[in-house]
């Protein structure tokens, strides 16, 4: 069956360090993958999109990699700040179904 | 400001009493969708609409209805709510062009007692 897996355990890091979040998937051939940020009780906010033929995408302190062989995406926040504390969701778009499917998210806590 | 607006933000209702959650977007987006979010289950798609008068079931459509009479509005209707529909609901929209992000509303927290 199709699955998207994000680490359900919260990631706790010190301010200034690089946070790395993982998104693994099985039985998908996604056309592209997206990352969203979600604060408690609020709607997800779109951050970055990476296509299946792209290896890496950057936006300011954010970097996303996409390895279709490993079926994995890594999401990096460099020089992390307490304001980066939130839940981060990965989402896969399947061109077969035309749907965007979300992982359950990983909560990041950045301590000062 | 470009946004998706949901109302109400919070709603407590009783089993069986019909309710509507409204969703409106001001970005002229063709695609709109409803999700529910539950602890441990993540975001699950209820219904979506590719354009006016076109709606399709998502992964968890049972107990819900939608309509898309105008491009900007996509209301979610619960004809006879039950306690298992207690959840956090999000409306989202997306323009054409394929690989672009979704814009989400602020959410509606629904409690059915």
């Amino acid at each position: 069956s199709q699955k998207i897996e994000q680490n359900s355990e919260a990631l706790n890091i010190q301010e200034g360090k690089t946070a790395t979040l993982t998104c693994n998937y099985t039985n998908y051939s996604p056309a592209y993958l997206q990352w969203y940020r979600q604060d408690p009780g609020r709607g997800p906010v779109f951050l970055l999109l990476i296509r299946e033929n792209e290896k890496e995408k950057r936006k300011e302190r954010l970097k996303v990699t996409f390895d279709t062989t490993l079926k994995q995406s890594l999401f990096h926040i460099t020089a992390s700040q307490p304001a980066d504390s939130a839940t981060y969701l990965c989402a896969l778009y399947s061109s077969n179904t035309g749907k965007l499917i979300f992982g359950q998210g990983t909560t990041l806590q950045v301590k000062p | 400001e470009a946004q998706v607006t949901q109302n109400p933000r919070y709603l407590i209702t009783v089993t069986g009493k019909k309710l509507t959650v409204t969703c409106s977007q001001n970005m002229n987006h063709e695609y709109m969708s409803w999700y529910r979010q539950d602890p441990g289950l993540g975001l699950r798609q209820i219904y979506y609409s590719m354009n006016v008068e076109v709606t399709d079931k998502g992964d968890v459509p049972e107990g819900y209805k939608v309509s898309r009479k105008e491009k900007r509005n996509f209301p979610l209707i619960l004809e006879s709510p039950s306690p298992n529909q207690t959840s956090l609901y999000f409306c989202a929209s997306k323009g054409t062009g394929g690989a672009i992000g979704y814009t989400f509303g602020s959410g509606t927290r629904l409690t059915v007692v």
Side-chain angles (χ1 to χ4, degrees), chain A residues 3-24:
Chain A
K3 250 189 194 180
I4 303 173
E5 290 182 341
Q6 294 185 257
N7 196 340
S8 58
E9 284 185 24
L11 178 63
N12 294 298
I13 64 167
Q14 207 67 34
E15 182 176 8
K17 301 290 186 186
T18 296
T20 298
L21 285 70
T22 305
C23 176
N24 295 301

Side-chain angles (χ1 to χ4, degrees), chain A residues 8-92:
Chain A
S8 58
E9 284 185 24
L11 178 63
N12 294 298
I13 64 167
Q14 207 67 34
E15 182 176 8
K17 301 290 186 186
T18 296
T20 298
L21 285 70
T22 305
C23 176
N24 295 301
Y25 60 93
T26 55
N27 296 323
Y28 275 111
S29 294
Y32 57 79
L33 185 149
Q34 301 181 357
W35 284 89
Y36 289 78
R37 170 187 172 135
Q38 187 176 23
D39 292 287
R42 311 295 295 180
V45 175
F46 172 70
L47 296 175
L48 276 170
L49 179 151
I50 186 164
R51 291 179 172 80
E52 60 180 335
N53 60 350
E54 296 175 318
K55 296 289 185 190
E56 183 179 298
K57 206 77 165 289
R58 291 176 186 258
K59 180 183 175 183
E60 297 170 354
R61 293 184 297 112
L62 309 180
K63 184 178 88 170
V64 171
T65 63
F66 194 11
D67 189 326
T68 53
T69 302
L70 289 178
K71 296 188 184 296
Q72 181 181 79
S73 175
L74 298 179
F75 177 79
H76 307 272
I77 305 176
T78 57
S80 59
Q81 304 163 2
D84 295 326
S85 298
T87 296
Y88 292 86
L89 309 173
C90 80
L92 301 181

